[in-house]
Amino acid sequence: MNKGKKIYGFMVLAALFWSGAFIAGKYAVPFIPTFTLTFMRFFFASLILCILSGAARKKEEDRFRLKKEHLPIFLFTGIVGMFGYHVFFFIALKYTTAINSSIIGAMNPIVTIVIAALFLRNKIPAKQIAGILLSFFGVLLTITGADVETLVQLDFNRGDLWMAAAVICWAAYGVFSKSKGAGIPPFWLTYYSFLVCTLILIPFVIWEKPWQLLAQAPPQAWIAVLYMSIFASVAGYMIQQIAIKQIGPSKTSIFINLVPVFSMVLATLILGEALAPIKLATAGIIILGVCICQLSGSADQKG
């Protein structure tokens, strides 16, 4: 099997790793405070990337020298992309299901397009507008459970709303890192973003006083933290970056659509969450909308 075909298999594996984070998060959030959980995930991930940094420095394309002007970039990516997304993500998992959160998370490509249009003045092709509206409709159905009364009374599940906020943070991180961090090798952008997030979390962790609770955390909570650090953060990122270099960002991003599919299966089998038909329908609507946007974007780039 050649490299091109192998990377497709690895990207499916990466999507599986990312979907597993929703399951791992559900295991960890009842026992570990939010800020502490986020800190632990990025502390271990930063430690692993620090070990790998020696090999990265030897590669010509990954050589990077930290300068003063890079600080605002890493502050934004670390605070908004890592701190913001993951804190909101873990709060969301306290109040909503892994299935709902993964379905809403599938909106990331759509929100990214909208944020890029608002702040970078990127034009949205007419064909993509239909995909955006379709995906937002799918999210609305997910949050309301297709119940009109819920929409009228604005009685939404707060976990779903926290997850929507998390998606906005991650999309903003993606747009910002692409525009302002274009000259920074992906490895170092991620490493320093992880590091900033870890350092900023320290006072929040002290405020939570986790030492009063961590001793009571069961083994599965610790395993979940290590899983999210090693597989969802480091391994998933490394595979994604290799894929971007080999098959390009457009083809790589398509595999993200597998995350809610895998998450629904895992949440049903491992967590025992109910997979209602409406959830399958809303996931399908969102993924269809994302695919329309991705295909429309690729066609416009070729034209």
Side-chain angles (χ1 to χ4, degrees):
M1 186 182 292
N2 58 41
K3 288 184 178 180
K5 292 182 179 179
K6 279 185 179 179
I7 198 59
Y8 289 120
F10 279 117
M11 274 307 302
V12 172
L13 187 62
L16 183 61
F17 288 158
W18 291 327
S19 63
F22 291 90
I23 312 304
K26 289 295 287 185
Y27 273 112
V29 293
F31 306 102
I32 304 176
T34 300
F35 294 116
T36 303
L37 180 56
T38 308
F39 172 82
M40 292 169 64
R41 174 172 180 169
F42 284 104
F43 173 78
F44 291 122
S46 298
L47 187 61
I48 295 170
L49 289 181
C50 182
I51 295 171
L52 295 174
S53 65
R57 292 184 189 279
K58 295 179 181 179
K59 296 181 181 180
E60 185 67 32
E61 66 270 21
D62 284 339
R63 288 182 183 174
F64 173 71
R65 185 175 181 181
L66 183 63
K67 298 179 181 178
K68 184 171 63 176
E69 55 264 32
H70 293 136
L71 183 58
I73 297 175
F74 294 135
L75 282 175
F76 185 93
T77 57
I79 294 173
V80 176
M82 303 304 162
F83 178 95
Y85 171 80
H86 290 88
V87 167
F88 291 160
F89 169 69
F90 288 130
I91 293 175
L93 288 177
K94 289 184 178 181
Y95 304 108
T96 191
T97 63
I99 291 176
N100 265 33
S101 57
S102 65
I103 291 174
I104 296 170
M107 275 291 294
N108 177 65
I110 299 296
V111 179
T112 299
I113 292 172
V114 174
I115 289 179
L118 291 175
F119 293 96
L120 301 182
R121 297 183 180 179
N122 289 0
K123 292 183 178 180
I124 302 178
K127 294 178 181 178
Q128 286 190 339
I129 294 177
I132 292 172
L133 294 176
L134 188 62
S135 289
F136 275 119
F137 177 65
V139 169
L140 187 62
L141 288 177
T142 301
I143 294 176
T144 62
D147 185 356
V148 177
E149 186 176 344
T150 299
L151 180 61
V152 172
Q153 296 179 356
L154 298 179
D155 185 21
F156 303 126
N157 182 320
R158 55 178 168 171
D160 293 341
L161 297 180
W162 279 114
M163 190 62 208
V167 171
I168 293 173
C169 285
W170 190 253
Y173 158 78
V175 173
F176 182 87
S177 60
K178 185 177 181 179
S179 60
K180 301 297 183 181
I184 303 173
F187 178 92
W188 298 106
L189 181 63
T190 302
Y191 173 54
Y192 283 115
S193 298
F194 281 13
L195 200 58
V196 166
C197 178
T198 304
L199 294 174
I200 287 177
L201 278 162
I202 292 175
F204 293 94
V205 172
I206 295 174
W207 172 73
E208 283 184 328
K209 300 179 181 179
W211 50 86
Q212 298 177 351
L213 300 172
L214 290 181
Q216 303 172 8
Q220 62 263 33
W222 291 98
I223 293 172
V225 171
L226 291 176
Y227 172 87
M228 289 187 286
S229 299
I230 298 170
F231 294 98
S233 296
V234 177
Y237 152 75
M238 296 298 288
I239 293 172
Q240 184 184 41
Q241 294 307 315
I242 293 171
I244 289 173
K245 290 180 180 179
Q246 291 189 12
I247 62 177
S250 297
K251 289 183 179 179
T252 299
S253 64
I254 292 174
F255 288 89
I256 297 175
N257 297 331
L258 293 174
V259 174
V261 178
F262 288 151
S263 296
M264 286 189 288
V265 174
L266 292 174
T268 303
L269 295 177
I270 299 176
L271 300 177
E273 292 184 0
L275 183 56
I278 186 62
K279 303 301 180 184
L280 289 172
T282 56
I285 291 171
I286 293 171
I287 292 172
L288 177 60
V290 171
C291 288
I292 290 173
C293 285
Q294 288 172 328
L295 293 174
S296 300
S298 300
D300 288 334
Q301 287 175 0
K302 289 179 182 178

